[in-house]
Amino acid sequence: MPLDEFSLIQRYFTRATPGTVLGVGDDCALIAPTPCMQLAISTDTLVEGRHFFPDIDPESLGWKSLAVNLSDLAAMGAKARWFTLCLTLPQANETWLSGFARGLFALADAHGVDLVGGDTTRGPLTISIQVMGEVAPGKALRRDAGKAGDDLWLSGPTGAAALAVQQRYGKLTLAAADSQYCAQRLDRPEPRLALGQALAGLAHAAIDISDGLLADIGHLAARSKLQARLMHATLPTPPLSADLLAQPAFLAAQLGGGDDYELAFSAPVTARAQIAVLADTLGLPLMRIGTLAAGEGVVLLDANGQPQPLPQTGFNHFS
């Protein structure tokens, strides 16, 4: 018997919600925010053919759909609590739904996040998720809070996910080991929630790298009314073959590619020792990649401190 909307929700998306007063199954969910905490709320939509390839493994798609939203909470220093899911499906394929739900809830369980509601309908495959988290008043890592003289930091290497996209479009051929690493970075990003929460009250400003390193750091700099000065030689590099790292395609991906979901953040010079401890504690290669200074835009400096030409600066949904 074909699945209808209600049996689909019951079978694949209804489960225990220990952090929620009332979850899936009613007209509204009921949540109880922690007293004296602010709510951080974000939403993102993924459209087949625009944000993911039609042949992506559904389990990976379930994981990534939630990961890209949790990354926004990480960038604000918030603790993830709840999310809603709106799922538009061309058909109710039980094998696909099972895999998608498995990936979605694997990441939700890893971070203690409850699915509390949403909607399903028929149409081109589209996934919209809204996430809700909590952050103490005055502790959110806002993009507009950077200060002149701040160090700029990055939580991990960029570029590998964009290389995977180029390979899937047939524009690049990767060796087997490189291909596996890049595909993992594209399909199973890790939202840096623990880092974001640890930076709340320590860093000044933050942003997640979703549309490209230069583009997103440019957003942070613009909102803070400052210039970002990046030292090219200090940018972290992914564990890829030396031949690939030497190609122009890697530089373009490292600076302009998206889908990395690492955190870039600014912090005072006095926080360097604490950030070094954080790197060890969380097992992340936190790298100091530049500074914020008076001015505007993004400047990329070579090893001699001279400005370099900037490549394409990032993903645009309407280009």
Side-chain angles (χ1 to χ4, degrees), residues 18-19 31-34 37-42 69-83 108-114 131-137 139-141 191-200:
I31 60 176
T34 304
M37 297 291 278
Q38 293 179 334
L39 283 176
I41 301 171
S42 182
N69 284 275
L70 294 181
S71 184
D72 287 332
L73 293 181
M76 297 295 289
K79 175 180 174 59
R81 294 292 310 275
W82 309 279
F83 72 103
D109 290 345
H111 294 287
V113 193
D114 288 346
V131 288
M132 291 159 277
E134 296 177 329
V135 62
K139 299 297 185 182
L141 302 171
R192 303 302 186 191
L193 285 160
L195 174 62
Q197 291 171 61
L199 290 173

Side-chain angles (χ1 to χ4, degrees), residues 17 36 48 55 64 84 87 101 111-112 122 124 138 147 166 172 202 207 229 232 239 242 250 266 284 306:
T17 53
C36 300
E48 184 180 65
D55 60 351
K64 183 170 184 174
T84 62
L87 187 59
H111 294 287
R122 185 167 184 170
K147 301 182 184 303
Q166 293 300 306
L172 187 68
L202 176 63
I207 191 169
R229 301 176 64 82
H232 188 191
F250 169 69
S266 81
L284 292 175
Q306 297 302 308

Side-chain angles (χ1 to χ4, degrees), residues 206-287:
I207 191 169
D208 72 327
I209 307 302
S210 56
D211 294 332
L213 179 64
L214 294 180
D216 288 319
I217 285 185
H219 296 323
L220 186 153
R223 289 294 301 275
S224 293
K225 297 181 172 58
L226 294 168
Q227 182 183 80
R229 301 176 64 82
L230 303 184
M231 301 175 292
H232 188 191
T234 66
L235 297 181
T237 54
L240 300 171
S241 64
D243 288 345
L244 179 56
L245 294 176
Q247 292 184 29
F250 169 69
L251 177 61
Q254 182 186 37
L255 298 175
D259 268 333
D260 294 296
Y261 300 101
E262 296 293 347
L263 291 189
F265 59 95
S266 81
V269 172
T270 53
R272 288 179 183 177
Q274 290 169 274
I275 292 171
V277 171
L278 267 185
D280 288 339
T281 302
L282 299 176
L284 292 175
L286 305 182
M287 296 289 292

Side-chain angles (χ1 to χ4, degrees), residues 154-196:
L154 188 61
S155 67
T158 60
L163 292 175
V165 171
Q166 293 300 306
Q167 176 169 254
R168 292 179 190 182
Y169 276 129
K171 297 179 180 180
L172 187 68
T173 300
L174 301 176
D178 290 338
S179 178
Q180 182 178 6
Y181 175 81
C182 291
Q184 180 74 12
R185 292 284 290 180
L186 176 65
D187 295 336
R188 297 277 185 136
E190 291 283 352
R192 303 302 186 191
L193 285 160
L195 174 62

